[in-house]
Amino acid sequence: TSSSELQFFPSTLDRVTANLTLRVAMETTYHAPFVFYDPDTKQVTGFDVELAQAIADDLGVTLERQPRKWEQLFRDVETHDTDVVVSSVTITPERSKKAAFSAPYLKTGITIATRTTTPRILPPGKGRTLAAQRGTTAAAMATARLAQATVREFDTLDGAFAALARGEVDGLLGDAVILTAREEVKAGGYRVQPQLLSKDGYGVMMAPGDERMR
């Protein structure tokens, strides 16, 4: 191991400015309008991608985007394997115990998407089965507040939507902005309930003690 690999930096900001690179982790599965693949440009783009680039530009460093699975985002912050996470992460009291957050850059909330043939199901009662992406605030809400419904968790939002399309679940719990932007919803056949079950905000996530990055 060379001595250059054993550098110590007091903070993430010191490492970023010394190496002139900002490592930004994000989940890059389809989450329009925040992260999605544009077939015209053949690039991953979206609001979170542009925000990450703007942060790097403001610091005067090069952006290094790190594609991650959802649950890995939180592990990487704790282990300092990334500098910041820009991936539509909802700020919650529980997450704030293990990570630091910027001020919210977007306000949203959790709601339910259903097939248009499914009657209104808010609030979902006994006998209803709901899908949610594992490790999200939607999944946590289902466990804590929707005890009468049965919840099935999926590794990705795509997997949860596929279950909804097959009729295996009655509804899909998720972020209102992301659900509304889904191509399946815009094409018809699905509806997003206007009632919000929560009021949330997205923030840039970083390791505790890295508040200088804010």
Side-chain angles (χ1 to χ4, degrees):
T1 303
S2 67
S3 59
S4 63
E5 295 177 327
L6 300 176
Q7 299 177 80
F8 171 77
F9 298 103
S11 73
T12 295
L13 183 59
D14 291 310
R15 194 210 67 79
V16 169
T17 53
N19 293 341
L20 299 178
T21 301
L22 178 69
R23 301 172 302 173
V24 178
M26 61 178 61
E27 185 187 26
T28 53
T29 55
Y30 185 87
H31 276 161
F34 299 100
V35 180
F36 61 96
Y37 178 77
D38 185 342
D40 293 330
T41 63
K42 295 182 173 57
Q43 299 285 332
V44 174
T45 187
F47 184 88
D48 282 342
V49 177
E50 294 178 5
L51 176 58
Q53 186 63 62
I55 295 172
D57 290 345
D58 187 59
L59 293 171
V61 300
T62 300
L63 171 65
E64 179 186 318
R65 198 171 64 240
Q66 300 176 315
R68 295 288 188 266
K69 292 183 178 179
W70 177 255
E71 293 185 348
Q72 190 177 354
L73 297 174
F74 303 91
R75 293 196 297 269
D76 280 4
V77 162
E78 291 185 47
T79 58
H80 296 271
D81 286 326
T82 194
D83 297 323
V84 296
V85 171
V86 181
S87 196
S88 307
V89 179
T90 301
I91 304 168
T92 69
E94 188 65 27
R95 288 173 179 169
S96 296
K97 294 176 183 178
K98 297 181 178 181
F101 285 91
S102 68
Y105 62 83
L106 184 141
K107 294 183 179 181
T108 181
I110 302 299
T111 189
I112 295 179
T114 64
R115 298 180 300 279
T116 53
T117 54
T118 301
R120 177 182 172 85
I121 62 170
L122 271 178
K126 187 175 181 179
R128 295 292 189 180
T129 300
L130 303 176
Q133 184 179 4
R134 184 174 289 106
T136 63
T137 50
M141 169 181 288
T143 302
R145 293 175 49 188
L146 305 176
Q148 289 187 321
T150 299
V151 180
R152 289 184 57 193
E153 295 186 9
F154 296 82
D155 289 335
T156 66
L157 190 60
D158 286 344
F161 242 105
L164 179 62
R166 292 191 297 266
E168 296 174 1
V169 296
D170 299 305
L172 190 159
L173 276 170
D175 179 270
V177 176
I178 291 176
L179 292 182
T180 302
R182 294 283 301 196
E183 292 298 330
E184 302 97 319
V185 172
K186 291 191 290 186
Y190 300 90
R191 69 162 65 94
V192 176
Q193 308 286 351
Q195 178 183 345
L196 295 180
L197 297 171
S198 68
K199 293 182 179 180
D200 306 310
Y202 290 159
V204 176
M205 184 169 65
M206 62 207 82
D210 278 342
E211 284 79 358
R212 285 177 61 203
M213 286 292 292
R214 295 182 186 181

